[in-house]
Amino acid sequence: MSEKTKCLLSREECQALMDRVYLALDGALSGDEEKAVFCEVEKYPCCVEKIEIEKKYRSILVEACRCKSVPDALIQSIKKQVSGLLDGNRL
């Protein structure tokens, strides 16, 4: 983090704010709560920098974990193996 964006919050305050930011990014807050969090973040340039890093990280994860279709034969094979385990049979 550059000197220009040195955090103005205590470590505990910063962590608490970032915890709320993560909830907002995950869609776990109401619209009003989300707006309040991002309004608060705008007061602290260090938080804006952290959010940009978090967004990039999440974007990379989403790109790497794109859902692809799974062949039906594989699904059936997995179900059969799990069923065998539940019945006490070996795979």
Side-chain angles (χ1 to χ4, degrees), residues 47-74:
C47 294
V48 173
E49 186 176 306
K50 289 176 188 174
I51 289 171
E52 291 306 314
I53 292 169
E54 181 69 19
K55 284 181 183 178
K56 287 178 186 176
Y57 174 72
R58 288 172 184 239
S59 175
I60 291 168
L61 286 178
V62 167
E63 187 66 29
C65 298
R66 282 203 174 169
C67 293
K68 295 183 171 47
S69 63
V70 177
D72 287 337
L74 178 59

Side-chain angles (χ1 to χ4, degrees), residues 14-59:
C14 185
Q15 185 59 55
L17 179 55
M18 290 309 297
D19 288 345
R20 292 195 321 270
V21 165
Y22 297 144
L23 290 173
L25 291 174
D26 290 340
L29 300 180
S30 71
D32 290 338
E33 291 171 320
E34 189 175 310
K35 285 179 189 176
V37 167
F38 288 115
C39 283
E40 187 173 350
V41 164
E42 288 178 359
K43 299 174 191 175
Y44 303 103
C46 62
C47 294
V48 173
E49 186 176 306
K50 289 176 188 174
I51 289 171
E52 291 306 314
I53 292 169
E54 181 69 19
K55 284 181 183 178
K56 287 178 186 176
Y57 174 72
R58 288 172 184 239
S59 175

